[in-house]
Amino acid sequence: MTREHTALALVLACREALPGHLAVTLLSREGDDSGEGGCEIRSATLFGGRKSRLRAMVSPWHTGRIWLYGQKSGGAEKITDFDVERYRHTFRESFPKAQAASLVSELVIKTKAAGGAPRCWVLVNAFLDGLDRAAEEETGAALARFLWRYLDALGLQPPLDACVACGRPFGAGDSLVYAAGENGFLCPECAPSAGGGPSLSGEGAAYLRALSSLGAKEARNIPLSAGEEGRLKGFLFFLIQAACGERFKTLETFVPD
Ligand SMILES: [Zn+2]
């Protein structure tokens, strides 16, 4: 690896490190947009320049081409330039959007970019682009769709077709009980003997099934009642925390529905 190099990067988080310097966490992808390269989480430092143009560019959820200096394996790299291609300005004006994006940053960091899957780059950037264009009230449903797809990228999406205990295929309106030990769902008959767990209503299960079989554009048009959106998000928050084995800091600040 040469000491000076470039990659596609999304700024996931920034924090003030040594006085005046910024510690930056990036999701980066080698190669160009058409490449199949994997993606990874990396740390980099932006030195000084509180009022510099570069400091304004290196800001959460900006995506573009970054130039880095230093050994990737030898600790933090230094950011020397960042050519932003997507700014996502609306996140600054919308608390729900910024909150959803913060949760996504935490999820991507905690899962090490879904294990470095190339799909992680596409999923996360497409979600942020869609959220930027969407009306604020669409944030919750967009976040639920993203989390369900991300669980699939992690290989941890629980199957919605049949009961993990008895194998009986689920009916369209069945409400399902989650069984953490099997990462699957139980039918109404098997659930009571398993002691119960978080549940998914018939409407919630139908929504998630439709997501798995539809493209992004069609998925946006599936109706979801406000009450069900809140319950579904709560269930997905439970699943991502179970997948990571720890609580999420950003969820402590989430305003309940
Ligand atoms: Zn069953």
Side-chain angles (χ1 to χ4, degrees):
M1 169 78 65
T2 54
R3 287 177 65 80
E4 219 164 9
H5 49 280
T6 175
L8 291 171
L10 159 67
V11 179
L12 292 172
C14 294
R15 66 179 170 78
E16 199 81 23
L18 297 165
H21 304 322
L22 210 56
V24 183
T25 307
L26 302 165
L27 173 66
S28 80
R29 182 181 182 176
E30 305 294 338
D32 56 35
D33 260 323
S34 61
E36 290 294 305
C39 56
E40 63 182 336
I41 303 295
R42 59 213 273 181
S43 302
T45 306
L46 179 60
F47 288 100
R50 196 183 287 275
K51 290 177 182 164
S52 75
R53 181 201 67 90
L54 186 54
R55 178 82 168 222
M57 296 295 112
V58 180
S59 181
W61 311 303
H62 286 178
T63 288
R65 178 157 291 280
I66 203 155
W67 278 263
L68 299 156
Y69 184 83
Q71 297 280 6
K72 192 159 81 174
S73 56
E77 297 166 296
K78 177 185 168 190
I79 298 171
T80 56
D81 206 358
F82 189 35
D83 184 7
V84 180
E85 290 158 14
R86 280 166 278 173
Y87 287 91
R88 292 139 184 162
H89 288 297
T90 63
F91 296 6
R92 287 186 229 302
E93 293 130 35
S94 164
F95 183 64
K97 286 188 183 187
Q99 212 176 25
S102 297
L103 174 63
V104 168
S105 283
E106 190 174 359
L107 177 61
V108 173
I109 293 167
K110 276 187 163 53
T111 59
K112 298 187 169 55
R119 192 176 155 201
C120 177
W121 173 265
V122 178
L123 262 181
V124 172
N125 278 287
F127 168 71
L128 296 174
D129 286 341
L131 188 62
D132 189 36
R133 285 191 300 267
E136 186 177 274
E137 54 272 22
E138 292 168 42
T139 302
L143 181 60
R145 292 193 297 271
F146 170 81
L147 294 176
W148 185 244
R149 293 192 180 108
Y150 198 85
L151 283 164
D152 187 35
L154 286 169
L156 292 171
Q157 194 185 76
L160 283 164
D161 52 347
C163 173
V164 285
C166 71
R168 187 176 73 84
F170 294 128
D174 285 348
S175 64
L176 315 177
V177 173
Y178 180 68
E182 290 87 11
N183 189 33
F185 292 98
L186 300 166
C187 71
E189 279 90 89
C190 293
S193 58
S199 65
L200 196 56
S201 71
E203 187 189 348
Y207 187 80
L208 295 181
R209 272 189 206 103
L211 284 190
S212 301
S213 61
L214 295 174
K217 200 172 168 189
E218 293 83 10
R220 278 198 296 275
N221 297 325
I222 313 170
L224 186 65
S225 66
E228 189 49 45
E229 180 190 303
R231 284 189 290 277
L232 188 57
K233 268 195 309 182
F235 178 72
L236 291 165
F237 292 165
F238 171 85
L239 280 191
I240 57 163
Q241 292 184 106
C244 296
E246 55 186 314
R247 293 186 61 78
F248 275 47
K249 284 194 194 76
T250 44
L251 285 177
E252 288 162 20
T253 68
F254 259 67
V255 180
D257 291 287

Short mmCIF file of all heavy atoms in Angstrom, two decimals, residues 163-168 186-190, ligand 1:
data_model
loop_
_atom_site.label_atom_id
_atom_site.label_comp_id
_atom_site.label_asym_id
_atom_site.label_seq_id
_atom_site.Cartn_x
_atom_site.Cartn_y
_atom_site.Cartn_z
N CYS A 163 -42.88 -21.69 10.73
CA CYS A 163 -42.56 -21.76 12.16
C CYS A 163 -41.26 -22.56 12.37
O CYS A 163 -41.12 -23.64 11.82
CB CYS A 163 -43.73 -22.43 12.88
SG CYS A 163 -43.42 -22.76 14.61
N VAL A 164 -40.35 -21.99 13.18
CA VAL A 164 -39.07 -22.69 13.39
C VAL A 164 -39.22 -23.90 14.31
O VAL A 164 -38.33 -24.75 14.37
CB VAL A 164 -37.96 -21.77 13.98
CG1 VAL A 164 -37.40 -20.84 12.93
CG2 VAL A 164 -38.44 -21.02 15.20
N ALA A 165 -40.36 -24.00 15.01
CA ALA A 165 -40.54 -25.16 15.91
C ALA A 165 -41.24 -26.32 15.21
O ALA A 165 -40.77 -27.45 15.25
CB ALA A 165 -41.31 -24.73 17.15
N CYS A 166 -42.38 -26.04 14.54
CA CYS A 166 -43.15 -27.15 13.96
C CYS A 166 -43.09 -27.19 12.43
O CYS A 166 -43.55 -28.16 11.82
CB CYS A 166 -44.61 -27.07 14.42
SG CYS A 166 -45.53 -25.71 13.70
N GLY A 167 -42.54 -26.18 11.80
CA GLY A 167 -42.39 -26.17 10.35
C GLY A 167 -43.64 -25.79 9.58
O GLY A 167 -43.65 -25.76 8.35
N ARG A 168 -44.72 -25.45 10.30
CA ARG A 168 -45.97 -25.10 9.62
C ARG A 168 -45.82 -23.74 8.92
O ARG A 168 -45.34 -22.79 9.53
CB ARG A 168 -47.10 -25.01 10.65
CG ARG A 168 -48.49 -24.81 10.05
CD ARG A 168 -49.56 -24.82 11.14
NE ARG A 168 -49.55 -23.62 11.96
CZ ARG A 168 -50.17 -22.49 11.63
NH1 ARG A 168 -50.83 -22.38 10.49
NH2 ARG A 168 -50.14 -21.45 12.44
N LEU A 186 -42.20 -18.16 15.69
CA LEU A 186 -43.06 -19.26 16.11
C LEU A 186 -44.50 -18.97 15.70
O LEU A 186 -44.93 -17.80 15.74
CB LEU A 186 -42.99 -19.43 17.62
CG LEU A 186 -41.61 -19.75 18.21
CD1 LEU A 186 -41.62 -19.55 19.73
CD2 LEU A 186 -41.18 -21.16 17.85
N CYS A 187 -45.23 -20.02 15.34
CA CYS A 187 -46.64 -19.86 14.99
C CYS A 187 -47.45 -19.67 16.29
O CYS A 187 -46.93 -19.92 17.38
CB CYS A 187 -47.12 -21.07 14.20
SG CYS A 187 -47.25 -22.56 15.20
N PRO A 188 -48.71 -19.24 16.17
CA PRO A 188 -49.52 -18.99 17.38
C PRO A 188 -49.66 -20.23 18.27
O PRO A 188 -49.79 -20.11 19.47
CB PRO A 188 -50.87 -18.54 16.81
CG PRO A 188 -50.55 -17.97 15.46
CD PRO A 188 -49.40 -18.81 14.94
N GLU A 189 -49.62 -21.43 17.68
CA GLU A 189 -49.74 -22.65 18.50
C GLU A 189 -48.48 -22.94 19.30
O GLU A 189 -48.55 -23.40 20.44
CB GLU A 189 -50.05 -23.88 17.62
CG GLU A 189 -51.51 -24.03 17.22
CD GLU A 189 -51.81 -23.31 15.91
OE1 GLU A 189 -51.66 -23.94 14.86
OE2 GLU A 189 -52.17 -22.12 15.94
N CYS A 190 -47.32 -22.72 18.69
CA CYS A 190 -46.06 -23.06 19.37
C CYS A 190 -45.60 -21.97 20.34
O CYS A 190 -44.85 -22.26 21.27
CB CYS A 190 -44.95 -23.29 18.34
SG CYS A 190 -45.23 -24.75 17.32
ZN ZN B 1 -45.36 -23.86 15.20
#
